[in-house]
Amino acid sequence: MKVLHKYLRIFILLFFTIFALTIIQAQSSSDLRINEILVINDSNYIDDFGQRNAWIEIFNTAYNNVNIAGMYLTDDPNNPQKYRIPKGDPITVIQPRNYLVFFADNHTTRGILHLNFDLSNSNYVGLFDVNGTTLIDEIRFPKLESDISYGRINDGAEQWTVLQKTTPKSNNFTGVMYNSGDEFVKIDPYGLGMTFVAMSVVFLSLILLYLVFKNTRRLYTLNLKRLFSKEMNMPENEGLHDISGEVNAAISMALYLYRNELHDHEETVLTIKKVARSYSPWSSKIYGLRTSHR
Amino acid sequence: MENSANYITFVTDHLYQFYSYTSFANFTFGHFIMICIGLFFIYLAISKEYEPLLLVPIGFGIIVGNIAFKPGFQVGIYETGSVFNYLYFGVLQGIYPPLIFLGIGAMTDFSALISNPKLMLIGAAAQLGIFGAYAIALLLGFSPAEAGSIGIIGGADGPTAIFLSSKLAPDLLGAIAISAYSYMALVPVIQPPVMRLLTTKKERLIRMKPPRAVSKTEKIMFPIIGLLLTAFIVPSALSLLGMLFFGNLLKESTVTKRLADTAKGPLIDIVTILIGLTVGASTQATTFLTVKSVGIFVIGAVSFIIATFGGVMFVKILNLFLKEGNKMNPLIGNAGVSAVPDSARVSQVVGLQYDKTNHLLMHAMGPNVAGVIGSAVAAGILLGFLS
C-alpha cells in the first residue's frame, strides 16, 4: 500500500510538471503576433536575393526568446498547416520584443523565411501553433495599395491601421517616443506629484505591515480552546506574554552569571575532547624524513 | 657603426613606446585628485573607523581605477574583456545589491519592529529625503531618470542606490554610489545637529516603554508577510525585498543555520569586496570628475538632511496623537534612514547626552530596519515610474 502511495505521489508530481511545462510552452508561442503585412511591394523592403515581394512581420511581445519553429503560417483559414516553419535554424528564435519577417513569394527554395504562398489572391494571414490547430493570431486585411502596409498601431497592440510608413523589422509607431519618466516630468516638473504619490505608496506598504503586526500578536496569543470552552474564565498563564525584553534579558543574565559561578567552583571537572587527526600524506613523517643517513 | 646606430634608435623608440604605456605618460591632474580622494577614504576608514568595511574597498578601488593607462589593453573597468569589467558586470546588472540584501536580511533582527509596529511608520517618513532630493535634482536640470537615481541617495542605502542607478542612470553610478557611501559614513556628523535643531530638551528626555518579548512564530511570520505585502504593492523591488526577507527567514527559521551563516558571513563579505572595489574603480577621473558629480555630492548631503528632518518631524507629529506614557522620543526619528546600525547608534549617543540612563538603541533599531524596507520600496516606485 505504501509503495502504491509512493508511485501515486510521483505520478501526480510528474503530471503537474508536464502540465506546467505545457502551459509555459503555450504561453511562449501565444506571445507571438502578426504585426505588419505588405502585399504589393514595388519599391519597398528587399529580401536576401534582391527581390521585392509581399512580406509578413511577426513580433515577439514577450521579454524572453520565443522559437517560432514548428509553427504554421497560412493564407487560407481552411488550411491552417499550409506552411510549416522548419525546425533547426537559429533564425527562427525571435529575441525579446523583436521581429521576424517572412516573404510571401511562393519560393520555398530561397530559405525557410520564404513561404509557399503569396498574398495576391488572399486577404487573410493566420499563425497556428505547433499542433497545427491552435490559432495563435490571424488577420483579415483590406485591399492595400502599392508599398502601403497594414499593421498594428503599436507593436503588439490590438488596433490595426493602414500604415503610411512601412516598418519591417522595426517599431510600427514612428512618432516621437517618450519614456514614462519624461512623460511624468512633463506634468510634474517640480517632482511634487511624485513625492506625494511615492510617499503615499511607501506609507501604504508600511502601514499594511503595521496593521498586520499590530494584530498578529493577538492572533498568536489567541487561545482557541479557551475561546470555545464553556468555562470562559480560566485565569491560566495570564500576563505571561507581557514580559518585557528587559525582564527577559535580566533573567538570562542572572542565569548566565549563575552558571559561570557554578563552573568556577567545579574546577575538578575534566572535559575530554576527541581531537580529530585526519591523515594526509603531506603531514606524514615518513615523507618528511630522509630514507638514507648521511 | 651604422648597425649600432640603428640598434640605439630601435632601443630608444621602444623605450619611448614603453614610456607611453606607463601611468606617468597618461597621468592627469584629475587622476591625482581621485587618488587623493581614495587615500582620504582609506584614512577615514582606518583612522576614524567610518564604515571601514565599505570605505577601505571603495578607497582602494578609487586608487586602482585611477592608475592611468593607455586604452586598448583590456585593463580599465570600462574596457570590454578586462578583469575589472567582468567584476563590474555584477554592479551594472544589479546582481550584487540583492546578494548584499540577502546577507542583511540574515543578520537583521526585526524584533524591535515587531514588538512596536508603530516604528515602521518612521521608516516610511524618513524616505522624504529621497523625494526631496529627486525634486532638487529636477530643479538643477537632471533628467527624470537621473534625478530618481540621485534621490535614492537620501535612503542612505548603498546597495539600493547602486541597484537603482544601474537601472536608471548607469553613467552616474560611480558618483551616486560614492556619494551614498560617503554620507552613510558621515551619518554621525550630519544627523546630530539636525536632530538637536528640531527637538526641545523636554522631547529629548522622553522615555519609551521597553519593547516586549517577541515570539519565534512572529519572527518567522514577519519575512513571509512582509514580502507578500510589500512586493505585491511594488513588484519592481522584488529582487531587493525578496532577498532581504528570504535572508531573514533563513535566520529566523533556525533550521537553516548553515545557510544563514553563509549569507551573513562569507557571501556578504565576498560581495562587499567585489562591489566596493569595482564601484571605487568605476570612478576613473576621465568619467567621474564632472560638474554633474559635484551636483550629486551636494544633493546627497541635502537629501540626508531632509531624510533626518522627515523622520524627526514625523515622530513629533505622531506624539501629538499619542497618550502620555506612549509617546516616542523624537531622537529615534533620524534612524528612519536605512544606514543600519549607524543611524540607530546616533540616536543612542545623542539620547545619552541628555539622559545617561535613557537607552534608545533598541527603540531606534525599529525605524532603522523599517528604513531598509522603506528605501527598497521607494526604489521600486522610482523604477516603476521612471524606467
Side-chain angles (χ1 to χ4, degrees), chain B residues 163-192:
Chain B
F163 177 79
L164 191 68
S165 49
S166 71
K167 306 277 179 198
L168 292 181
D171 295 345
L172 303 182
L173 195 152
I176 289 168
I178 297 290
S179 175
Y181 280 120
S182 308
Y183 291 125
M184 278 166 69
L186 293 173
V187 153
V189 180
I190 298 172
Q191 288 194 325

Side-chain angles (χ1 to χ4, degrees), chain B residues 256-291:
Chain B
T256 51
K257 192 173 176 299
R258 270 173 54 195
L259 301 185
D261 287 345
T262 305
K264 71 181 178 191
L267 181 67
I268 198 169
D269 290 348
I270 291 168
V271 181
T272 303
I273 290 169
L274 293 177
I275 205 170
L277 192 71
T278 50
V279 163
S282 71
T283 61
Q284 284 180 8
T286 43
T287 55
F288 187 78
L289 282 180
T290 60
V291 180

Side-chain angles (χ1 to χ4, degrees), chain B residues 218-237:
Chain B
E218 283 175 290
K219 285 184 183 178
I220 292 173
M221 281 166 65
F222 184 79
I224 297 167
I225 296 174
L227 175 70
L228 290 174
L229 289 182
T230 52
F232 264 66
I233 295 172
V234 198
S236 43

Side-chain angles (χ1 to χ4, degrees), chain A residues 29 32-37 56-58 68 70-85 102 104 115-119 122-130 132-141 152 160:
Chain A
S29 56
L32 296 178
R33 293 283 178 278
I34 300 167
N35 204 43
E36 190 178 355
I37 293 162
I56 300 161
E57 182 190 70
I58 307 292
I68 197 173
M71 295 170 74
Y72 296 88
L73 271 168
T74 182
D75 64 342
D76 181 1
N78 297 318
N79 182 11
Q81 299 182 13
K82 193 164 187 176
Y83 180 75
R84 183 175 183 269
I85 301 161
F102 288 92
L115 308 174
N116 60 353
F117 57 85
D118 56 38
L119 299 173
S122 174
N123 70 336
Y124 174 87
V125 173
L127 176 68
F128 286 82
D129 209 344
V130 286
T133 53
T134 307
L135 179 68
I136 301 294
D137 194 17
E138 64 177 350
I139 184 67
R140 287 178 195 282
F141 49 89
R152 296 176 189 271
W160 285 72

Side-chain angles (χ1 to χ4, degrees), chain A residues 154 173 176-189 194, chain B residues 134 138 143-145 384-387:
Chain A
N154 287 311
F173 181 76
V176 181
M177 297 267 285
Y178 293 102
N179 65 21
S180 57
D182 294 329
E183 283 174 1
F184 208 96
V185 87
K186 259 191 201 171
I187 48 169
D188 180 31
M194 166 68 94
Chain B
Y134 167 77
L138 279 182
S143 75
F385 280 167
L386 303 175
S387 61

Side-chain angles (χ1 to χ4, degrees), chain B residues 32-377:
Chain B
F32 173 73
I33 292 174
M34 289 310 298
I35 287 175
C36 289
I37 293 172
L39 289 171
F40 181 61
F41 273 36
I42 293 172
Y43 164 76
L44 283 181
I46 296 171
S47 183
K48 303 280 178 188
E49 292 194 22
Y50 285 165
E51 296 269 358
L53 296 181
L54 293 166
L55 289 192
V56 168
I58 289 177
F60 201 79
I62 293 174
I63 298 173
V64 168
N66 284 283
I67 303 294
F69 58 87
K70 193 172 183 179
F73 291 92
Q74 293 188 333
V75 174
I77 197 163
Y78 296 113
E79 289 189 317
T80 308
S82 74
V83 173
F84 284 117
N85 187 256
Y86 277 112
L87 298 178
Y88 195 50
F89 179 82
V91 174
L92 278 180
Q93 297 300 315
I95 298 166
Y96 296 150
L99 291 175
I100 289 190
F101 261 58
L102 180 72
I104 292 173
M107 63 173 74
T108 303
D109 186 354
F110 285 101
S111 302
L113 203 57
I114 300 167
S115 69
N116 189 1
K118 273 199 295 285
L119 301 174
M120 286 183 202
L121 304 179
I122 305 171
Q127 306 312 317
L128 189 67
I130 293 176
F131 302 104
Y134 167 77
I136 295 169
L138 279 182
L139 279 175
L140 290 179
F142 285 95
S143 75
E146 288 173 342
S149 302
I150 295 166
I152 203 72
I153 297 171
D157 195 332
T160 308
I162 290 170
F163 177 79
L164 191 68
S165 49
S166 71
K167 306 277 179 198
L168 292 181
D171 295 345
L172 303 182
L173 195 152
I176 289 168
I178 297 290
S179 175
Y181 280 120
S182 308
Y183 291 125
M184 278 166 69
L186 293 173
V187 153
V189 180
I190 298 172
Q191 288 194 325
V194 184
M195 292 157 70
R196 287 193 196 102
L197 190 72
L198 296 174
T199 51
T200 61
K201 195 176 178 188
K202 191 184 166 194
E203 285 172 330
R204 290 175 214 142
L205 296 172
I206 293 176
R207 279 177 176 267
M208 293 173 68
K209 273 186 181 175
R212 69 172 172 86
V214 175
S215 69
K216 188 185 168 189
T217 315
E218 283 175 290
K219 285 184 183 178
I220 292 173
M221 281 166 65
F222 184 79
I224 297 167
I225 296 174
L227 175 70
L228 290 174
L229 289 182
T230 52
F232 264 66
I233 295 172
V234 198
S236 43
L238 185 61
S239 49
L240 294 175
L241 293 168
M243 292 298 241
L244 177 77
F245 288 122
F246 173 56
N248 191 242
L249 184 62
L250 290 179
K251 172 181 180 280
E252 300 300 353
S253 67
T254 65
V255 291
T256 51
K257 192 173 176 299
R258 270 173 54 195
L259 301 185
D261 287 345
T262 305
K264 71 181 178 191
L267 181 67
I268 198 169
D269 290 348
I270 291 168
V271 181
T272 303
I273 290 169
L274 293 177
I275 205 170
L277 192 71
T278 50
V279 163
S282 71
T283 61
Q284 284 180 8
T286 43
T287 55
F288 187 78
L289 282 180
T290 60
V291 180
K292 273 189 176 180
S293 299
V294 177
I296 289 167
F297 265 82
V298 174
I299 299 168
V302 177
S303 72
F304 267 61
I305 294 168
I306 298 173
T308 311
F309 171 86
V312 174
M313 287 309 290
F314 181 78
V315 178
K316 283 170 70 100
I317 294 166
L318 207 60
N319 275 346
L320 298 175
F321 303 97
L322 294 174
K323 288 177 196 165
E324 202 63 46
N326 282 340
K327 287 192 189 299
M328 292 192 273
N329 192 318
L331 290 180
I332 65 165
N334 72 299
V337 298
S338 59
V340 181
D342 294 28
S343 49
R345 216 179 283 148
V346 169
S347 306
Q348 165 84 351
V349 170
V350 178
L352 286 179
Q353 284 172 2
Y354 296 93
D355 181 352
K356 287 200 172 4
T357 57
N358 193 4
H359 295 276
L360 294 173
L361 186 65
M362 276 315 287
H363 301 292
M365 279 307 289
N368 213 182
V369 292
V372 179
I373 303 170
S375 61
V377 170

